[in-house]
Amino acid sequence: MEDQSPLSADEVLDVVDEHDRVVGQARRGEVYANRLRHRCAFVLARDDDGRVFVHRRTARKLVFPSLYDMFVGGVVGAGESYDEAALREAEEELGVAGLPAPVPLFKFLYETPQHSWWSYVYEVRCPSTVAPQPEEVAWHEFLTEAELERRLTEWDWVPDGFDAYRRLLAWRATRPADQS
């Protein structure tokens, strides 16, 4: 019988304070169970036509199982930088080796009564032919910005990714056209 337990509960993460300084380490399951603040990388992956990689998470994900997301990415491991995690997670989730380094855009603190993490948002170009990890991705498609916008009210999205996407749109609106 296939293992249906949540993924990655034993992975060790850095625990950080409100200023994103490392104050300790704990296993991922403990981090989530005790709402310990940690780090995550969010990578918006676009193909050469500018379409956004959108996927539905598998039911085995420890956080936000079976919800849709417009970002690939995940937790930053203990001792790992945001940049390292962004590239590692993008390559793993997309199933593509040799991606360019994701471009860092901005960082924000995501906090709810259940969760707390520093979130660094990136963007990367990837090929249209991807081979997402079946343990992580239950469904995927590249959507245009208009298609994605239409789906925002139709599908159930991961709340942190939805928040990050809204922040990304607001961030872009403040940038000159040649810098966004």
PDB file of all heavy atoms in Angstrom, residues 145-171:
ATOM      1  N   GLU A 145      -2.019  35.411 -17.800  1.00  0.00           N
ATOM      2  CA  GLU A 145      -2.408  36.259 -16.658  1.00  0.00           C
ATOM      3  C   GLU A 145      -3.928  36.383 -16.585  1.00  0.00           C
ATOM      4  O   GLU A 145      -4.507  36.337 -15.503  1.00  0.00           O
ATOM      5  CB  GLU A 145      -1.771  37.642 -16.773  1.00  0.00           C
ATOM      6  CG  GLU A 145      -0.274  37.652 -16.644  1.00  0.00           C
ATOM      7  CD  GLU A 145       0.218  37.856 -15.219  1.00  0.00           C
ATOM      8  OE1 GLU A 145      -0.582  38.206 -14.333  1.00  0.00           O
ATOM      9  OE2 GLU A 145       1.422  37.651 -15.011  1.00  0.00           O
ATOM     10  N   ALA A 146      -4.594  36.551 -17.738  1.00  0.00           N
ATOM     11  CA  ALA A 146      -6.055  36.694 -17.753  1.00  0.00           C
ATOM     12  C   ALA A 146      -6.731  35.412 -17.273  1.00  0.00           C
ATOM     13  O   ALA A 146      -7.702  35.467 -16.499  1.00  0.00           O
ATOM     14  CB  ALA A 146      -6.535  37.063 -19.156  1.00  0.00           C
ATOM     15  N   GLU A 147      -6.229  34.251 -17.712  1.00  0.00           N
ATOM     16  CA  GLU A 147      -6.793  32.977 -17.248  1.00  0.00           C
ATOM     17  C   GLU A 147      -6.591  32.808 -15.745  1.00  0.00           C
ATOM     18  O   GLU A 147      -7.502  32.385 -15.034  1.00  0.00           O
ATOM     19  CB  GLU A 147      -6.142  31.807 -17.988  1.00  0.00           C
ATOM     20  CG  GLU A 147      -6.515  31.718 -19.450  1.00  0.00           C
ATOM     21  CD  GLU A 147      -5.654  30.733 -20.215  1.00  0.00           C
ATOM     22  OE1 GLU A 147      -4.459  30.540 -19.870  1.00  0.00           O
ATOM     23  OE2 GLU A 147      -6.174  30.151 -21.182  1.00  0.00           O
ATOM     24  N   LEU A 148      -5.411  33.152 -15.269  1.00  0.00           N
ATOM     25  CA  LEU A 148      -5.132  33.053 -13.837  1.00  0.00           C
ATOM     26  C   LEU A 148      -6.057  33.981 -13.057  1.00  0.00           C
ATOM     27  O   LEU A 148      -6.654  33.564 -12.055  1.00  0.00           O
ATOM     28  CB  LEU A 148      -3.660  33.388 -13.558  1.00  0.00           C
ATOM     29  CG  LEU A 148      -3.231  33.447 -12.095  1.00  0.00           C
ATOM     30  CD1 LEU A 148      -3.588  32.181 -11.335  1.00  0.00           C
ATOM     31  CD2 LEU A 148      -1.733  33.728 -12.009  1.00  0.00           C
ATOM     32  N   GLU A 149      -6.203  35.197 -13.503  1.00  0.00           N
ATOM     33  CA  GLU A 149      -7.076  36.155 -12.814  1.00  0.00           C
ATOM     34  C   GLU A 149      -8.507  35.625 -12.740  1.00  0.00           C
ATOM     35  O   GLU A 149      -9.163  35.738 -11.711  1.00  0.00           O
ATOM     36  CB  GLU A 149      -7.027  37.506 -13.547  1.00  0.00           C
ATOM     37  CG  GLU A 149      -7.663  38.633 -12.791  1.00  0.00           C
ATOM     38  CD  GLU A 149      -6.932  39.014 -11.509  1.00  0.00           C
ATOM     39  OE1 GLU A 149      -5.698  38.884 -11.435  1.00  0.00           O
ATOM     40  OE2 GLU A 149      -7.619  39.443 -10.552  1.00  0.00           O
ATOM     41  N   ARG A 150      -8.983  35.028 -13.807  1.00  0.00           N
ATOM     42  CA  ARG A 150     -10.342  34.465 -13.830  1.00  0.00           C
ATOM     43  C   ARG A 150     -10.479  33.319 -12.821  1.00  0.00           C
ATOM     44  O   ARG A 150     -11.503  33.182 -12.161  1.00  0.00           O
ATOM     45  CB  ARG A 150     -10.651  33.980 -15.252  1.00  0.00           C
ATOM     46  CG  ARG A 150     -12.098  33.940 -15.590  1.00  0.00           C
ATOM     47  CD  ARG A 150     -12.404  33.709 -17.068  1.00  0.00           C
ATOM     48  NE  ARG A 150     -11.604  32.698 -17.732  1.00  0.00           N
ATOM     49  CZ  ARG A 150     -10.651  32.958 -18.640  1.00  0.00           C
ATOM     50  NH1 ARG A 150     -10.367  34.192 -18.976  1.00  0.00           N
ATOM     51  NH2 ARG A 150      -9.984  31.964 -19.215  1.00  0.00           N
ATOM     52  N   ARG A 151      -9.436  32.511 -12.695  1.00  0.00           N
ATOM     53  CA  ARG A 151      -9.482  31.349 -11.792  1.00  0.00           C
ATOM     54  C   ARG A 151      -9.376  31.736 -10.308  1.00  0.00           C
ATOM     55  O   ARG A 151      -9.705  30.935  -9.440  1.00  0.00           O
ATOM     56  CB  ARG A 151      -8.360  30.365 -12.123  1.00  0.00           C
ATOM     57  CG  ARG A 151      -8.401  29.819 -13.530  1.00  0.00           C
ATOM     58  CD  ARG A 151      -9.555  28.854 -13.707  1.00  0.00           C
ATOM     59  NE  ARG A 151      -9.455  28.168 -14.971  1.00  0.00           N
ATOM     60  CZ  ARG A 151     -10.308  28.328 -15.987  1.00  0.00           C
ATOM     61  NH1 ARG A 151     -11.307  29.161 -15.886  1.00  0.00           N
ATOM     62  NH2 ARG A 151     -10.167  27.648 -17.099  1.00  0.00           N
ATOM     63  N   LEU A 152      -8.905  32.932 -10.026  1.00  0.00           N
ATOM     64  CA  LEU A 152      -8.717  33.336  -8.621  1.00  0.00           C
ATOM     65  C   LEU A 152     -10.003  33.260  -7.815  1.00  0.00           C
ATOM     66  O   LEU A 152      -9.967  32.996  -6.616  1.00  0.00           O
ATOM     67  CB  LEU A 152      -8.122  34.743  -8.535  1.00  0.00           C
ATOM     68  CG  LEU A 152      -6.683  34.887  -9.000  1.00  0.00           C
ATOM     69  CD1 LEU A 152      -6.240  36.342  -8.900  1.00  0.00           C
ATOM     70  CD2 LEU A 152      -5.742  33.976  -8.227  1.00  0.00           C
ATOM     71  N   THR A 153     -11.138  33.478  -8.452  1.00  0.00           N
ATOM     72  CA  THR A 153     -12.420  33.413  -7.741  1.00  0.00           C
ATOM     73  C   THR A 153     -13.121  32.068  -7.925  1.00  0.00           C
ATOM     74  O   THR A 153     -14.128  31.816  -7.273  1.00  0.00           O
ATOM     75  CB  THR A 153     -13.367  34.543  -8.211  1.00  0.00           C
ATOM     76  OG1 THR A 153     -13.562  34.424  -9.623  1.00  0.00           O
ATOM     77  CG2 THR A 153     -12.784  35.913  -7.878  1.00  0.00           C
ATOM     78  N   GLU A 154     -12.587  31.222  -8.788  1.00  0.00           N
ATOM     79  CA  GLU A 154     -13.229  29.942  -9.080  1.00  0.00           C
ATOM     80  C   GLU A 154     -12.621  28.766  -8.324  1.00  0.00           C
ATOM     81  O   GLU A 154     -13.301  27.777  -8.065  1.00  0.00           O
ATOM     82  CB  GLU A 154     -13.160  29.654 -10.581  1.00  0.00           C
ATOM     83  CG  GLU A 154     -13.903  30.658 -11.429  1.00  0.00           C
ATOM     84  CD  GLU A 154     -13.688  30.435 -12.925  1.00  0.00           C
ATOM     85  OE1 GLU A 154     -12.987  29.462 -13.304  1.00  0.00           O
ATOM     86  OE2 GLU A 154     -14.205  31.242 -13.708  1.00  0.00           O
ATOM     87  N   TRP A 155     -11.338  28.831  -8.044  1.00  0.00           N
ATOM     88  CA  TRP A 155     -10.622  27.705  -7.432  1.00  0.00           C
ATOM     89  C   TRP A 155     -10.240  28.037  -5.999  1.00  0.00           C
ATOM     90  O   TRP A 155     -10.146  29.206  -5.613  1.00  0.00           O
ATOM     91  CB  TRP A 155      -9.357  27.387  -8.231  1.00  0.00           C
ATOM     92  CG  TRP A 155      -9.600  26.878  -9.618  1.00  0.00           C
ATOM     93  CD1 TRP A 155     -10.783  26.457 -10.158  1.00  0.00           C
ATOM     94  CD2 TRP A 155      -8.621  26.733 -10.638  1.00  0.00           C
ATOM     95  NE1 TRP A 155     -10.592  26.058 -11.453  1.00  0.00           N
ATOM     96  CE2 TRP A 155      -9.279  26.218 -11.781  1.00  0.00           C
ATOM     97  CE3 TRP A 155      -7.252  26.984 -10.707  1.00  0.00           C
ATOM     98  CZ2 TRP A 155      -8.610  25.944 -12.964  1.00  0.00           C
ATOM     99  CZ3 TRP A 155      -6.587  26.715 -11.898  1.00  0.00           C
ATOM    100  CH2 TRP A 155      -7.263  26.196 -13.006  1.00  0.00           C
ATOM    101  N   ASP A 156      -9.962  26.986  -5.212  1.00  0.00           N
ATOM    102  CA  ASP A 156      -9.487  27.149  -3.830  1.00  0.00           C
ATOM    103  C   ASP A 156      -7.965  27.223  -3.839  1.00  0.00           C
ATOM    104  O   ASP A 156      -7.301  26.244  -4.204  1.00  0.00           O
ATOM    105  CB  ASP A 156      -9.950  25.976  -2.955  1.00  0.00           C
ATOM    106  CG  ASP A 156     -11.447  25.970  -2.745  1.00  0.00           C
ATOM    107  OD1 ASP A 156     -12.036  27.061  -2.665  1.00  0.00           O
ATOM    108  OD2 ASP A 156     -12.037  24.873  -2.674  1.00  0.00           O
ATOM    109  N   TRP A 157      -7.430  28.384  -3.447  1.00  0.00           N
ATOM    110  CA  TRP A 157      -6.002  28.666  -3.517  1.00  0.00           C
ATOM    111  C   TRP A 157      -5.351  28.561  -2.146  1.00  0.00           C
ATOM    112  O   TRP A 157      -5.980  28.829  -1.130  1.00  0.00           O
ATOM    113  CB  TRP A 157      -5.778  30.079  -4.071  1.00  0.00           C
ATOM    114  CG  TRP A 157      -6.264  30.210  -5.464  1.00  0.00           C
ATOM    115  CD1 TRP A 157      -7.519  30.568  -5.864  1.00  0.00           C
ATOM    116  CD2 TRP A 157      -5.526  29.932  -6.655  1.00  0.00           C
ATOM    117  NE1 TRP A 157      -7.601  30.527  -7.233  1.00  0.00           N
ATOM    118  CE2 TRP A 157      -6.403  30.157  -7.744  1.00  0.00           C
ATOM    119  CE3 TRP A 157      -4.217  29.527  -6.894  1.00  0.00           C
ATOM    120  CZ2 TRP A 157      -5.996  29.982  -9.060  1.00  0.00           C
ATOM    121  CZ3 TRP A 157      -3.819  29.361  -8.217  1.00  0.00           C
ATOM    122  CH2 TRP A 157      -4.696  29.581  -9.278  1.00  0.00           C
ATOM    123  N   VAL A 158      -4.059  28.217  -2.139  1.00  0.00           N
ATOM    124  CA  VAL A 158      -3.307  28.262  -0.882  1.00  0.00           C
ATOM    125  C   VAL A 158      -3.333  29.715  -0.410  1.00  0.00           C
ATOM    126  O   VAL A 158      -3.108  30.631  -1.199  1.00  0.00           O
ATOM    127  CB  VAL A 158      -1.858  27.736  -1.048  1.00  0.00           C
ATOM    128  CG1 VAL A 158      -1.845  26.269  -1.416  1.00  0.00           C
ATOM    129  CG2 VAL A 158      -1.082  28.543  -2.061  1.00  0.00           C
ATOM    130  N   PRO A 159      -3.654  29.950   0.853  1.00  0.00           N
ATOM    131  CA  PRO A 159      -3.788  31.340   1.302  1.00  0.00           C
ATOM    132  C   PRO A 159      -2.493  32.145   1.252  1.00  0.00           C
ATOM    133  O   PRO A 159      -2.523  33.340   0.939  1.00  0.00           O
ATOM    134  CB  PRO A 159      -4.325  31.222   2.722  1.00  0.00           C
ATOM    135  CG  PRO A 159      -4.177  29.801   3.111  1.00  0.00           C
ATOM    136  CD  PRO A 159      -4.037  28.988   1.878  1.00  0.00           C
ATOM    137  N   ASP A 160      -1.355  31.511   1.531  1.00  0.00           N
ATOM    138  CA  ASP A 160      -0.096  32.275   1.489  1.00  0.00           C
ATOM    139  C   ASP A 160       0.277  32.645   0.061  1.00  0.00           C
ATOM    140  O   ASP A 160       0.718  33.763  -0.208  1.00  0.00           O
ATOM    141  CB  ASP A 160       1.038  31.531   2.202  1.00  0.00           C
ATOM    142  CG  ASP A 160       1.385  30.184   1.581  1.00  0.00           C
ATOM    143  OD1 ASP A 160       0.530  29.582   0.882  1.00  0.00           O
ATOM    144  OD2 ASP A 160       2.509  29.715   1.803  1.00  0.00           O
ATOM    145  N   GLY A 161       0.074  31.729  -0.886  1.00  0.00           N
ATOM    146  CA  GLY A 161       0.346  32.025  -2.280  1.00  0.00           C
ATOM    147  C   GLY A 161      -0.600  33.077  -2.834  1.00  0.00           C
ATOM    148  O   GLY A 161      -0.198  33.965  -3.591  1.00  0.00           O
ATOM    149  N   PHE A 162      -1.859  32.998  -2.447  1.00  0.00           N
ATOM    150  CA  PHE A 162      -2.841  34.000  -2.875  1.00  0.00           C
ATOM    151  C   PHE A 162      -2.428  35.372  -2.359  1.00  0.00           C
ATOM    152  O   PHE A 162      -2.448  36.356  -3.108  1.00  0.00           O
ATOM    153  CB  PHE A 162      -4.227  33.608  -2.348  1.00  0.00           C
ATOM    154  CG  PHE A 162      -5.341  34.454  -2.887  1.00  0.00           C
ATOM    155  CD1 PHE A 162      -5.920  34.154  -4.113  1.00  0.00           C
ATOM    156  CD2 PHE A 162      -5.825  35.536  -2.174  1.00  0.00           C
ATOM    157  CE1 PHE A 162      -6.958  34.927  -4.618  1.00  0.00           C
ATOM    158  CE2 PHE A 162      -6.853  36.316  -2.672  1.00  0.00           C
ATOM    159  CZ  PHE A 162      -7.424  36.013  -3.897  1.00  0.00           C
ATOM    160  N   ASP A 163      -2.014  35.439  -1.100  1.00  0.00           N
ATOM    161  CA  ASP A 163      -1.542  36.703  -0.517  1.00  0.00           C
ATOM    162  C   ASP A 163      -0.290  37.191  -1.242  1.00  0.00           C
ATOM    163  O   ASP A 163      -0.181  38.371  -1.588  1.00  0.00           O
ATOM    164  CB  ASP A 163      -1.268  36.516   0.977  1.00  0.00           C
ATOM    165  CG  ASP A 163      -0.903  37.809   1.680  1.00  0.00           C
ATOM    166  OD1 ASP A 163      -1.439  38.883   1.330  1.00  0.00           O
ATOM    167  OD2 ASP A 163      -0.063  37.750   2.610  1.00  0.00           O
ATOM    168  N   ALA A 164       0.653  36.286  -1.497  1.00  0.00           N
ATOM    169  CA  ALA A 164       1.887  36.659  -2.190  1.00  0.00           C
ATOM    170  C   ALA A 164       1.584  37.163  -3.597  1.00  0.00           C
ATOM    171  O   ALA A 164       2.203  38.131  -4.060  1.00  0.00           O
ATOM    172  CB  ALA A 164       2.844  35.467  -2.244  1.00  0.00           C
ATOM    173  N   TYR A 165       0.622  36.544  -4.287  1.00  0.00           N
ATOM    174  CA  TYR A 165       0.282  36.972  -5.640  1.00  0.00           C
ATOM    175  C   TYR A 165      -0.333  38.367  -5.629  1.00  0.00           C
ATOM    176  O   TYR A 165       0.008  39.216  -6.452  1.00  0.00           O
ATOM    177  CB  TYR A 165      -0.657  35.966  -6.301  1.00  0.00           C
ATOM    178  CG  TYR A 165      -0.899  36.262  -7.761  1.00  0.00           C
ATOM    179  CD1 TYR A 165       0.116  36.103  -8.697  1.00  0.00           C
ATOM    180  CD2 TYR A 165      -2.134  36.715  -8.201  1.00  0.00           C
ATOM    181  CE1 TYR A 165      -0.089  36.380 -10.043  1.00  0.00           C
ATOM    182  CE2 TYR A 165      -2.350  36.994  -9.546  1.00  0.00           C
ATOM    183  CZ  TYR A 165      -1.323  36.832 -10.455  1.00  0.00           C
ATOM    184  OH  TYR A 165      -1.528  37.117 -11.784  1.00  0.00           O
ATOM    185  N   ARG A 166      -1.232  38.626  -4.692  1.00  0.00           N
ATOM    186  CA  ARG A 166      -1.832  39.963  -4.578  1.00  0.00           C
ATOM    187  C   ARG A 166      -0.750  41.008  -4.268  1.00  0.00           C
ATOM    188  O   ARG A 166      -0.748  42.101  -4.820  1.00  0.00           O
ATOM    189  CB  ARG A 166      -2.928  39.981  -3.509  1.00  0.00           C
ATOM    190  CG  ARG A 166      -4.175  39.264  -3.930  1.00  0.00           C
ATOM    191  CD  ARG A 166      -4.797  39.972  -5.097  1.00  0.00           C
ATOM    192  NE  ARG A 166      -6.027  39.337  -5.507  1.00  0.00           N
ATOM    193  CZ  ARG A 166      -6.527  39.464  -6.717  1.00  0.00           C
ATOM    194  NH1 ARG A 166      -5.896  40.171  -7.622  1.00  0.00           N
ATOM    195  NH2 ARG A 166      -7.640  38.882  -7.041  1.00  0.00           N
ATOM    196  N   ARG A 167       0.187  40.653  -3.404  1.00  0.00           N
ATOM    197  CA  ARG A 167       1.299  41.558  -3.097  1.00  0.00           C
ATOM    198  C   ARG A 167       2.189  41.774  -4.326  1.00  0.00           C
ATOM    199  O   ARG A 167       2.683  42.883  -4.550  1.00  0.00           O
ATOM    200  CB  ARG A 167       2.133  41.012  -1.942  1.00  0.00           C
ATOM    201  CG  ARG A 167       1.429  41.085  -0.598  1.00  0.00           C
ATOM    202  CD  ARG A 167       2.258  40.367   0.459  1.00  0.00           C
ATOM    203  NE  ARG A 167       1.576  40.263   1.721  1.00  0.00           N
ATOM    204  CZ  ARG A 167       1.823  41.036   2.778  1.00  0.00           C
ATOM    205  NH1 ARG A 167       2.756  41.974   2.716  1.00  0.00           N
ATOM    206  NH2 ARG A 167       1.158  40.870   3.900  1.00  0.00           N
ATOM    207  N   LEU A 168       2.390  40.718  -5.110  1.00  0.00           N
ATOM    208  CA  LEU A 168       3.179  40.837  -6.326  1.00  0.00           C
ATOM    209  C   LEU A 168       2.515  41.802  -7.310  1.00  0.00           C
ATOM    210  O   LEU A 168       3.184  42.662  -7.899  1.00  0.00           O
ATOM    211  CB  LEU A 168       3.376  39.462  -6.972  1.00  0.00           C
ATOM    212  CG  LEU A 168       4.088  39.433  -8.325  1.00  0.00           C
ATOM    213  CD1 LEU A 168       5.505  40.007  -8.230  1.00  0.00           C
ATOM    214  CD2 LEU A 168       4.112  38.015  -8.869  1.00  0.00           C
ATOM    215  N   LEU A 169       1.209  41.689  -7.488  1.00  0.00           N
ATOM    216  CA  LEU A 169       0.499  42.597  -8.387  1.00  0.00           C
ATOM    217  C   LEU A 169       0.613  44.042  -7.897  1.00  0.00           C
ATOM    218  O   LEU A 169       0.841  44.961  -8.698  1.00  0.00           O
ATOM    219  CB  LEU A 169      -0.969  42.188  -8.514  1.00  0.00           C
ATOM    220  CG  LEU A 169      -1.234  40.843  -9.189  1.00  0.00           C
ATOM    221  CD1 LEU A 169      -2.730  40.556  -9.205  1.00  0.00           C
ATOM    222  CD2 LEU A 169      -0.645  40.778 -10.582  1.00  0.00           C
ATOM    223  N   ALA A 170       0.484  44.250  -6.588  1.00  0.00           N
ATOM    224  CA  ALA A 170       0.616  45.600  -6.020  1.00  0.00           C
ATOM    225  C   ALA A 170       2.041  46.112  -6.183  1.00  0.00           C
ATOM    226  O   ALA A 170       2.258  47.282  -6.517  1.00  0.00           O
ATOM    227  CB  ALA A 170       0.203  45.588  -4.546  1.00  0.00           C
ATOM    228  N   TRP A 171       3.037  45.239  -5.965  1.00  0.00           N
ATOM    229  CA  TRP A 171       4.441  45.610  -6.118  1.00  0.00           C
ATOM    230  C   TRP A 171       4.719  46.030  -7.556  1.00  0.00           C
ATOM    231  O   TRP A 171       5.362  47.042  -7.800  1.00  0.00           O
ATOM    232  CB  TRP A 171       5.317  44.434  -5.697  1.00  0.00           C
ATOM    233  CG  TRP A 171       6.789  44.659  -5.834  1.00  0.00           C
ATOM    234  CD1 TRP A 171       7.612  45.282  -4.943  1.00  0.00           C
ATOM    235  CD2 TRP A 171       7.628  44.234  -6.924  1.00  0.00           C
ATOM    236  NE1 TRP A 171       8.904  45.276  -5.418  1.00  0.00           N
ATOM    237  CE2 TRP A 171       8.939  44.643  -6.627  1.00  0.00           C
ATOM    238  CE3 TRP A 171       7.386  43.554  -8.106  1.00  0.00           C
ATOM    239  CZ2 TRP A 171      10.003  44.392  -7.472  1.00  0.00           C
ATOM    240  CZ3 TRP A 171       8.444  43.304  -8.956  1.00  0.00           C
ATOM    241  CH2 TRP A 171       9.739  43.722  -8.634  1.00  0.00           C
TER     242      TRP A 171
END
